[in-house]
Amino acid sequence: MASLKLSSVNKVYPSGETGLYNISLEAKDKEFLVIIGADGSGKSSLLRVIAGLEDATSGEVFIDDKDMVDVEPKNRDIAMVFQSSTLYPSLNVFDNMAFGLRLRKAPEALVQERVKIVAKILGLNDILYRKPKVLSAAEKQRVAIARAIVREPRLYLFDEPLSGLDDKLKADMLNVIMNLQARLEGTFVYATKNIADALTIGTRIVVLKDGFVQQIDTPANLYDYPANTYVAFYIGSPTISFIKKVKITAEGGKYFAEFAGNKLELPENVVARFEGIEEYAKTGKYVTLGIRPEDAEVADGGILSGKADKVEDGFAEIDLTSEICVTAQAGEGVEKGKTVGISVDLTRLYIFDAASCLTLLKRDGGYAETGYADANFVPLAYDEEVGIHESLKPKKQTKKKR
């Protein structure tokens, strides 16, 4: 199969809009790499640049250490499955699958062999001679995947291939794709905005936001060691609760997080990981606390208290103030409008700089090293990223006065 490496890839569209900014990442042979981000984050642009369907404005793309910049898409030996892959309506399933091989003038015996093998893997034997118009949405997507893999390319790219399918069909197709990757031992790069899908299938995940990489790491590392507030918010469901405008204070050799009349003592493991804690305690610079719903629980005598607002699926949203809401696990008997206590595992606390939104907690022994250089990537501070966006925005043309 293939390894993939991107180095300082930028994509600026003719309009002046920036699609990708300084993207560097790698995927090793046989890896399942997931690109995740909201609409407009640059997922499709990134895949299209890798495939050669769009040119990078600058930067380098390597497949198996070969520079792909001047290589035509058809010669990159890449298969790509799109969000809405269109099948040839006049061809049956067999001929749709065989199209790419026949276009490359492969021997017919090889075409027959490859199509039958892939059809068996994807469960398409019963529909090989049907036209696309009579197929279900799931069947069409299976055929689109089959058409892509029948050539046995070096690299497989998936651009939100399951968007629009219902939950059951999506789950079935995810299993198909995971089993396919394991069976083919292929290098898969899969783009999605669904965090549950990403956590299910990815060996590593690239988190994208507005064309900027936020972090690249394993699902577990992203969850436990988020590089900034965006990653912490994106990874996890229910989403993490943030408490803003928090001050760090020192007293009697101990450190505390103070906000809205609350004073939480920081445990030793958090203090040990908190880089520059003395500076924050001396200057009064604000930090943002992050509390995962799994690390908080409604309980009598908890260290926090507030009024329950929304109670659903075993979790309650609890308003500490009009501006601070914490989601916590809730057992039976928690009712909307009821004042409750919240027990929090402070050893699992997340702390971010209020201005930069970057984490202030260094990695400890719980971090699982991957050996990838891009795992050490540090995203831009929030204000730096905003400044770059502003500087790269296309300038409006003003009409000259006559």
Side-chain angles (χ1 to χ4, degrees), residues 27-41:
K28 291 183 179 177
D29 185 27
K30 303 178 184 178
E31 185 176 8
F32 203 133
L33 185 70
V34 175
I35 315 293
I36 189 165
D39 289 334
S41 62

Side-chain angles (χ1 to χ4, degrees), residues 353-371:
D353 180 81
S356 70
C357 296
L358 298 178
T359 183
L360 294 171
L361 303 182
K362 62 185 178 182
R363 296 167 179 171
D364 59 12
Y367 180 81
E369 296 288 348
T370 62

Side-chain angles (χ1 to χ4, degrees), residues 106-364:
E108 188 60 25
L110 178 63
V111 172
Q112 295 285 331
E113 178 186 2
R114 289 267 188 88
V115 170
K116 289 177 180 178
I117 289 173
V118 173
K120 183 177 181 181
I121 292 172
L122 289 173
L124 299 174
N125 285 332
D126 293 340
I127 61 170
L128 275 177
Y129 300 102
R130 296 179 187 175
K131 294 288 183 68
K133 65 180 180 180
V134 300
L135 303 180
S136 67
E139 287 172 337
K140 289 179 181 177
Q141 205 60 4
R142 281 178 184 256
V143 176
I145 293 171
R147 184 175 62 183
I149 71 171
V150 77
R151 294 191 292 105
E152 296 185 1
R154 290 189 295 171
L155 184 64
Y156 300 82
L157 307 180
F158 295 82
D159 188 7
E160 298 196 63
L162 308 184
S163 179
L165 299 182
D166 64 39
D167 290 343
K168 185 181 184 307
L169 288 177
K170 181 186 290 186
D172 291 343
M173 288 302 299
L174 272 179
N175 283 329
V176 167
I177 293 172
M178 290 172 65
N179 292 334
L180 191 62
Q181 194 266 346
R183 183 161 183 167
L184 296 176
E185 295 186 328
T187 306
F188 280 32
V189 182
Y190 185 103
T192 180
K193 59 188 174 187
N194 188 301
I195 183 59
D197 293 354
L199 295 175
T200 298
I201 63 179
T203 53
R204 289 190 306 134
I205 298 175
V206 180
V207 183
L208 272 184
K209 173 177 171 282
D210 299 331
F212 288 70
V213 169
Q214 304 298 309
Q215 192 170 352
I216 306 173
D217 220 321
T218 65
N221 284 342
L222 291 175
Y223 180 89
D224 290 324
Y225 301 89
N228 57 22
T229 54
Y230 184 81
V231 176
F233 182 81
Y234 211 92
I235 305 296
S237 180
T239 55
I240 195 171
S241 303
F242 290 123
I243 301 176
K244 299 181 179 181
K245 294 185 178 180
V246 178
K247 286 188 176 181
I248 301 300
T249 59
E251 183 181 325
K254 298 180 179 180
Y255 291 93
F256 300 85
E258 297 191 27
F259 60 93
N262 296 283
K263 187 174 182 179
L264 307 180
E265 182 181 345
L266 300 181
E268 291 182 4
N269 73 308
V270 173
V271 172
R273 295 177 57 204
F274 194 147
E275 298 185 300
I277 189 169
E278 291 184 5
E279 177 191 350
Y280 282 84
K282 290 177 180 177
T283 62
K285 288 198 301 183
Y286 284 123
V287 302
T288 297
L289 301 184
I291 300 174
R292 296 262 186 213
E294 303 89 289
D295 300 325
E297 185 177 4
V298 174
D300 294 335
I303 58 176
L304 298 173
S305 66
K307 188 174 290 186
D309 183 12
K310 184 179 179 182
V311 182
E312 188 176 78
D313 297 330
F315 290 92
E317 295 179 3
I318 301 161
D319 295 326
L320 307 188
T321 70
S322 60
E323 297 180 345
I324 303 174
C325 179
V326 172
T327 302
Q329 298 177 76
E332 296 181 2
V334 179
E335 300 175 359
K336 182 176 180 179
K338 182 180 178 180
T339 298
V340 297
I342 310 171
S343 173
V344 180
D345 182 357
L346 294 180
T347 65
R348 297 277 304 158
L349 198 64
Y350 298 78
I351 305 180
F352 306 90
D353 180 81
S356 70
C357 296
L358 298 178
T359 183
L360 294 171
L361 303 182
K362 62 185 178 182
R363 296 167 179 171
D364 59 12

